[in-house]
Amino acid sequence: MSMRTLDIKFLGILEKSENGQPLDREDCRYLLQLDEKSLEAGLLRATASSVIRSKNENSAILLGQIGVDVNPCPGGCKFCTFGEKHTHFSRVRMPEEELTQKIEEFCHYGDLYGLYLMTMHDYDREHYLKCVELACKIAPSTTQIWANIGDTSLEGFKELHAAGVTGVYHVCRLREGIDTDLNPQERIQSMHNALNAGLELYTCCEPIGPEHSVDELVDNIFIGIEMDIYQHAAMRRVAVPGAPLAHHGQISELRLAQIVAVIALASAAVPTMAYMGAHEPNELCYTAGANIITAESGANPRDNSGDTAKNRGMDMAHCRKMMFECGFDYLRRGDESKIPLNFDYLVKTDSWH
């Protein structure tokens, strides 16, 4: 049995990646058009995994996210469980005692790289700053505090930075302004505002559905690549019951892993790029270039449960074990110090189950 000859263009793109050269839009378009079940797609995933793991000594990072409040959201995203025209949620704010407990649980073993505090597109800045203040008081210095919030001015981001926030998750989504009631230029401006305020920027190609074309994916991916991002990611859209786009269904985890691999290779040459994420966590993506895993609690736009920890969300123990099973040697803290990720550590952190 002989191995069939691989296309020279394909091999050339992989060689570029391994040599640290940036991929262009045409390279990404070519890779995204591959059949996710093909030999080429398998080699693509393996190459992305190798490139990303070699950047930081085969380390992974654990993130936590807490949805601190919920309300029917005027963003009107047709894929989100909180869109005001279709949500079943009413306005709910997480009590301080519950938020305190959740922060303490995330930080218990001191291996949480960063903690996201998430809210709706429109949010109460004073209350949000109080949540940030609480998180900064409870979390160890090795855990960074990050924001996942709606569009915000430069002054607003500067205020968050002064309060202790070090990074922001913000995206201009696929079909922003079509599948949402938000302005794509305002989304992108918020990303620039975060960078200009001295914050690290984490972004994502999302929420990916079966109907999105390769060209749409490429255009969205390069929004982040053309900025000084610290993290990039890919997220598939979850067909949340009741959300207007649920009828489109979902892409497979295998297809998501292919997209993760392309973004990882395209982002690897960005000087500020350090980590690659995948939503929601799955082993295929962590063998295709992803090395960020997120535990979640509280509100989640991909979940109809009021506390995603009781439904879709993974806890810290499951996250540690998944990273171990996917072959990572270390976990990184928010100060970039390393923790050996081995069987003994899983036992110590009650994660071997």
Side-chain angles (χ1 to χ4, degrees):
M1 180 179 177
S2 61
M3 180 73 73
R4 63 180 172 81
T5 303
L6 295 168
D7 184 68
I8 293 175
K9 182 175 181 179
F10 171 73
L11 293 174
I13 295 172
L14 295 193
E15 186 175 1
K16 280 176 68 173
S17 300
E18 291 186 312
N19 291 336
Q21 298 174 258
L23 302 189
D24 59 29
R25 289 171 180 259
E26 184 53 41
D27 293 332
C28 294
R29 208 171 277 117
Y30 176 90
L31 295 175
L32 288 168
Q33 287 171 344
L34 297 172
D35 184 332
E36 62 264 34
K37 301 178 288 297
S38 67
L39 171 64
E40 287 84 355
L43 291 172
L44 164 63
R45 295 192 299 272
T47 301
S49 183
S50 175
V51 167
I52 295 297
R53 288 172 189 253
S54 67
K55 283 176 69 74
N56 64 3
E57 299 177 86
N58 195 29
S59 302
I61 63 174
L62 306 181
L63 307 182
Q65 177 162 277
I66 303 174
V68 299
D69 63 18
V70 173
N71 58 266
C73 182
C77 303
K78 296 177 183 177
F79 42 79
C80 177
T81 191
F82 304 127
E84 63 182 359
K85 296 175 184 175
H86 55 266
T87 189
H88 72 277
F89 285 97
S90 54
R91 187 176 298 273
V92 178
R93 176 167 290 174
M94 183 177 288
E96 182 176 323
E97 299 76 17
E98 184 180 354
L99 179 57
T100 298
Q101 179 186 352
K102 289 183 181 297
I103 296 170
E104 289 173 344
E105 288 172 353
F106 274 125
C107 298
H108 180 70
Y109 288 106
D111 57 4
L112 187 71
Y113 186 101
L115 176 65
Y116 280 119
L117 300 177
M118 186 194 76
T119 186
M120 304 290 103
H121 179 74
D122 288 348
Y123 63 100
D124 181 335
R125 185 178 300 175
E126 292 307 312
H127 174 257
Y128 191 81
L129 286 167
K130 289 178 182 177
C131 294
V132 169
E133 180 183 5
L134 181 65
C136 289
K137 185 166 68 174
I138 297 171
S141 60
T142 53
T143 294
Q144 300 183 31
I145 306 302
W146 297 344
N148 185 351
I149 55 180
D151 288 329
T152 299
S153 66
L154 174 60
E155 293 71 25
F157 278 131
K158 285 181 176 178
E159 193 172 11
L160 289 173
H161 194 192
V165 171
T166 58
V168 170
Y169 179 85
H170 209 75
V171 300
C172 180
R173 305 176 189 90
L174 289 160
R175 301 188 184 179
E176 194 82 78
I178 298 171
D179 290 340
T180 76
D181 293 332
L182 303 174
N183 185 322
Q185 293 309 312
E186 291 178 5
R187 301 293 293 174
I188 292 172
Q189 184 59 53
S190 282
M191 296 165 78
H192 287 296
N193 290 344
L195 288 169
N196 291 334
L199 295 163
E200 292 173 347
L201 176 64
Y202 323 126
T203 196
C204 183
C205 177
E206 59 120 316
I208 306 165
E211 74 277 18
H212 293 124
S213 69
V214 165
D215 284 343
E216 285 179 285
L217 297 180
V218 171
D219 286 345
N220 192 270
I221 290 165
F222 273 81
I223 292 172
I225 289 173
E226 291 169 355
M227 295 188 190
D228 294 326
I229 51 168
Y230 190 72
Q231 296 174 7
H232 213 319
M235 182 183 81
R236 70 172 177 173
R237 188 181 64 234
V238 173
V240 180
L245 297 183
H247 68 278
H248 285 295
Q250 298 181 188
I251 63 170
S252 68
E253 289 184 351
L254 186 63
R255 175 60 175 168
L256 178 61
Q258 179 182 357
I259 298 169
V260 163
V262 174
I263 299 175
L265 293 182
S267 304
V270 176
T272 52
M273 169 75 177
Y275 297 102
M276 179 69 200
H279 306 292
E280 292 170 332
N282 68 85
E283 289 87 346
L284 287 170
C285 288
Y286 296 117
T287 56
N291 58 358
I292 299 171
I293 190 165
T294 305
E296 296 181 280
S297 190
N300 178 339
R302 303 178 306 281
D303 199 338
N304 277 329
S305 171
D307 186 352
T308 194
K310 299 174 182 177
N311 194 27
R312 297 195 67 88
M314 287 178 63
D315 62 18
M316 290 288 286
H318 282 97
C319 288
R320 293 186 194 98
K321 187 165 187 282
M322 184 176 284
M323 294 296 92
F324 171 81
E325 297 288 13
C326 291
F328 290 98
D329 292 326
Y330 301 100
L331 295 176
R332 295 267 182 173
R333 299 184 183 93
D335 62 356
E336 299 299 335
S337 60
K338 295 183 298 185
I339 303 169
L341 180 58
N342 51 35
F343 179 79
D344 289 342
Y345 188 71
L346 294 184
V347 172
K348 173 186 173 183
T349 56
D350 196 27
S351 303
W352 190 256
H353 53 72

